Amino acid sequence: MHTHLSNRFSAILFLAIAIPVISFSQNQKEIKQQNIKSKITWKSLKDSPEKMYKAEEIQYNQNGDETEISEFDETGNLKRKETYLYNPDGKLMEEKRMNAKGQQSKKRTYNYNDKGDRTGYMEFDANGKLKETRVIDYDGKGMKVKRTDRDTKG
């Protein structure tokens, strides 16, 4: 009986370690090629290592880009969620962070130039008020030459 429990615990411990490692070994290209739509990471409960809970779920679009990341606590309740929107060229245009109640706590929108270089972003707080901006300038060769960050304080 002791050997059976020991083997079972060893198997569960292996899965608890191996699943996160395996799940993070896939890159965007592989996710796209294998048409993966979502990935779930399971973790062991702290006080009962033989029991698992869904700690994170990631959703992907057809290009293998992350479109939603949800984190959960040990009881299965949502801790936070992030969503990502992309333009047709695959450039990140918007990211939002929501709290456990599903309320937006942060939003960031991105800007790009004609060459596809990120030229900055605007970040908004939970109330939609502009909190921070970043502007990136490039020279004629496409090299970054200046970055200007501003918060609402100036």
Side-chain angles (χ1 to χ4, degrees):
M1 171 104 176
H2 182 271
T3 305
H4 174 70
L5 288 176
S6 178
N7 288 341
R8 184 174 179 207
F9 180 76
S10 296
I12 290 171
L13 182 61
F14 171 78
L15 289 174
I17 294 169
I19 289 174
V21 172
I22 292 168
S23 69
F24 289 112
S25 67
Q26 294 176 312
N27 63 32
Q28 182 180 3
K29 183 178 176 183
E30 292 170 329
I31 290 168
K32 180 179 178 180
Q33 288 174 341
Q34 297 173 19
N35 199 28
I36 295 173
K37 299 294 179 201
S38 66
K39 179 171 52 178
I40 297 174
T41 302
W42 296 87
K43 290 187 178 179
S44 296
L45 293 172
K46 291 176 186 167
D47 56 348
S48 301
E50 71 281 359
K51 294 182 182 178
M52 307 284 279
Y53 72 98
K54 179 169 73 170
E56 181 179 71
E57 183 171 1
I58 303 174
Q59 303 288 326
Y60 300 96
N61 65 16
Q62 68 277 3
N63 295 321
D65 299 309
E66 295 176 346
T67 58
E68 186 175 296
I69 300 174
S70 299
E71 292 181 19
F72 302 92
D73 65 20
E74 292 182 356
T75 63
N77 293 317
L78 182 68
K79 287 177 18 181
R80 76 180 177 127
K81 179 190 280 189
E82 295 179 10
T83 60
Y84 306 93
L85 295 175
Y86 302 87
N87 69 13
D89 296 326
K91 300 286 187 186
L92 179 63
M93 297 302 294
E94 178 183 275
E95 62 181 292
K96 290 182 185 178
R97 180 174 288 173
M98 280 73 76
N99 62 23
K101 296 178 182 178
Q103 300 164 328
Q104 182 177 307
S105 58
K106 174 178 139 178
K107 176 181 172 182
R108 187 179 277 189
T109 59
Y110 295 92
N111 302 309
Y112 299 87
N113 63 20
D114 295 342
K115 297 177 183 174
D117 301 315
R118 185 177 289 173
T119 58
Y121 66 79
M122 294 186 296
E123 186 172 308
F124 303 88
D125 66 13
N127 298 316
K129 182 180 175 192
L130 184 62
K131 183 175 146 184
E132 177 183 327
T133 62
R134 172 173 288 170
V135 177
I136 302 169
D137 295 321
Y138 297 86
D139 65 15
K141 297 178 184 176
M143 302 296 293
K144 291 181 186 179
V145 293
K146 183 179 175 188
R147 183 179 104 181
T148 307
D149 294 332
R150 290 198 175 103
D151 60 21
T152 54
K153 298 172 187 132

